Amino acid sequence: MPGHEERSSAPAWSRTDWNVRREPMTPPSERPQRVPSAVLAAAFLFNLGQGVLRPAMPLYLQRRFSANYRMVTLIPVVFGAGKWIANLPTGYLLDRLGRPLMVAGLTLIALIDVLSVMTSRFDVFLGLRALGGLGWAMFATVATTATVSGPEPQRRGRAISLLLMSETLGLLLGSAAGGWLYQGIGVASPFLFEAACMVVAALTVLHWASLAAATPSRQRSQDRRALSTVLQTPGVILMGVTTALLTAIQVGILVFLFPLYLLTHAGLDPKAVGTVVSLSVLGRLMALWLGGTLSDRWGRMSVLIPGLLVYALLLAGTSRLTGPVLLGVCSFAIGATAGFVAAVPTALTSDQVAPPLQGIAISWIRTMSDSGQIVGPLVMGALADAVDLSAPFLMGAALLAGTAWQCRRQARVTAAANAEGGGNL
């Protein structure tokens, strides 16, 4: 049949089938690469330091600067702005500067952490956190691109999940320890602990990064229109918007406002706040592998759509709770649902673009994620100040439900186009 011939002759990355059960793109004689262990170790250490700051940062801001809700949410905004600025340049420069970008990024964050505890001015503190965002982009873009460029499409979801699991394990341990460090050792201890983690991570990845000089890197497109080509790929823009929303909710609500909700509405002390927040990270860790595996087997949208709807229900329900036990249960469930869908946007985007464009595609996804980190906290913080601390939870639930509807619509359009044109739009 003509449609069948057209489908079988098209490159694997040009197909718009949301289910990734395809023939491998890698020749049979070549073994698929695994995620480098140095990258996984560095991702763990990187997020261990970040996790310590999660419950401690809002409390530090309130104590050191007498911060209100808007001041608290300005921190992820400026941090996200730094990442937003650096993501796309990092994607284009990755082939020229290579893996050492990771080492430079980790070193920069360590320096920023030390300087942050030395300032007593909030505007200087904001500027330092923005510079820290540059370091984050350098590390995360290289690490994610290294993860998606190795495995064939039918195992890419699991590869991304493995990277996210390393990150989440670090967040889990760090979040659990953050409140204890803040209360037991000192208000500056979480920043110094993160700086130490960044130094160790830089040393861990240094040897792997130095191998780039002796090993030819995979060719990447240096075309200035590469980003335009990526954005014209079906589904890529929608996955970017989805990533932005997930980040806006994660950072704007769960990371910064949820600890304050637990402190003010539920009356929990800092240690209990750290415990409840860590339950969310534990749930995420336990669901990451399942979500990535099922998206490889059943298709990306078959995992993403129901996951977004369940996420919306849990988020709305949490805003009505004050009991510590129920809050802990919902925190775990929210984290599990977020982990279930976390790998899908990146995996789907990597499936849809050609290998030479994957670095640009990853930088695009990360730019959209950081856009959510900038806009989300601004909106959620203003909403909490203007209405109530529970209002951002309800707003996030409504946006998740709307995004699930858009994903369902896109899946139907794609399925119809595949049926008519043999997989090509």
Side-chain angles (χ1 to χ4, degrees):
M1 292 186 295
H4 176 75
E5 293 174 359
E6 184 180 4
R7 180 180 180 86
S8 61
S9 61
W13 59 78
S14 68
R15 299 174 192 158
T16 54
D17 185 3
W18 298 103
N19 193 308
V20 295
R21 287 184 177 180
R22 310 167 175 158
E23 68 273 13
M25 295 163 49
T26 305
S29 60
E30 299 181 10
R31 286 183 177 272
Q33 299 177 3
R34 297 182 181 274
V35 183
S37 58
V39 172
L40 297 180
F44 168 79
L45 292 166
F46 183 89
N47 286 273
L48 178 65
Q50 289 287 313
V52 165
L53 281 183
R54 278 194 168 195
M57 178 73 82
L59 308 179
Y60 177 86
L61 293 174
Q62 278 195 332
R63 177 169 177 176
R64 188 68 179 268
F65 302 109
S66 300
N68 57 26
Y69 293 146
R70 291 186 182 181
M71 291 174 66
V72 169
T73 53
L74 275 177
I75 299 300
V77 170
V78 298
F79 191 73
K83 294 195 294 179
W84 191 90
I85 292 171
N87 278 324
L88 285 174
T90 300
Y92 278 99
L93 293 174
L94 179 57
D95 195 48
R96 294 182 179 179
L97 302 180
R99 301 168 182 174
L101 281 172
M102 301 176 71
V103 179
L106 292 167
T107 304
L108 177 60
I109 295 177
L111 178 61
I112 294 303
D113 284 330
V114 174
L115 294 176
S116 294
V117 300
M118 298 174 62
T119 182
S120 58
R121 293 179 51 182
F122 184 70
D123 57 344
V124 175
F125 186 89
L126 282 177
L128 290 172
R129 301 321 294 177
L131 289 177
L134 300 179
W136 176 296
M138 294 178 191
F139 171 80
T141 301
V142 179
T144 307
T145 303
T147 300
V148 303
S149 63
E152 66 269 20
Q154 55 265 44
R155 294 190 60 86
R156 189 167 287 138
R158 278 164 280 189
I160 297 173
S161 292
L162 188 59
L163 176 65
L164 294 176
M165 287 171 68
S166 298
E167 296 176 353
T168 305
L169 182 59
L171 287 175
L172 172 62
L173 298 178
S175 298
W180 292 85
L181 283 173
Y182 177 89
Q183 186 170 330
I185 299 180
V187 296
S189 60
F191 291 91
L192 300 179
F193 182 86
E194 185 189 47
C197 288
M198 298 302 152
V199 172
V200 176
L203 295 175
T204 301
V205 81
L206 185 60
H207 175 68
W208 176 80
S210 66
L211 295 177
T215 304
S217 60
R218 181 171 57 91
Q219 184 178 3
R220 287 180 169 84
S221 174
Q222 297 298 320
D223 190 347
R224 293 183 179 181
R225 295 177 296 177
L227 179 60
S228 176
T229 302
V230 168
L231 296 182
Q232 291 173 11
T233 305
V236 169
I237 291 180
L238 178 59
M239 290 301 99
V241 173
T242 302
T243 300
L245 176 60
L246 293 174
T247 303
I249 292 173
Q250 182 70 24
V251 179
I253 299 178
L254 299 180
V255 173
F256 277 79
L257 293 181
F258 190 40
L260 296 179
Y261 180 90
L262 296 173
L263 191 69
T264 59
H265 283 50
L268 303 183
D269 60 30
K271 292 182 180 179
V273 169
T275 300
V276 172
V277 171
S278 68
L279 287 174
S280 174
V281 184
L282 177 62
R284 178 183 175 90
L285 177 63
M286 296 182 66
L288 275 170
W289 183 257
L290 178 63
T293 300
L294 292 182
S295 73
D296 284 341
R297 295 178 179 177
W298 297 351
R300 309 300 185 201
M301 287 298 186
S302 298
V303 169
L304 183 60
I305 294 172
L308 291 175
L309 292 175
V310 174
Y311 197 174
L313 291 174
L314 290 170
L315 202 61
T318 301
S319 67
R320 302 303 179 189
L321 300 176
T322 56
V325 176
L326 289 178
L327 282 170
V329 171
C330 281
S331 179
F332 178 86
I334 286 175
T337 307
F340 189 72
V341 301
V344 177
T346 302
L348 178 55
T349 301
S350 301
D351 293 339
Q352 297 302 102
V353 302
L357 296 174
Q358 283 180 345
I360 303 300
I362 293 301
S363 65
W364 153 254
I365 285 290
R366 300 206 66 86
T367 299
M368 289 300 294
S369 175
D370 296 334
S371 298
Q373 185 166 339
I374 296 170
V375 177
L378 283 175
V379 173
M380 299 305 177
L383 188 60
D385 279 333
V387 183
D388 183 76
L389 198 50
S390 63
F393 291 81
L394 299 177
M395 173 66 76
L399 293 174
L400 285 170
T403 303
W405 181 81
Q406 289 292 336
C407 289
R408 179 179 176 86
R409 184 183 178 199
Q410 178 67 62
R412 287 179 173 178
V413 170
T414 302
N418 286 340
E420 293 178 3
N424 295 315
L425 289 179

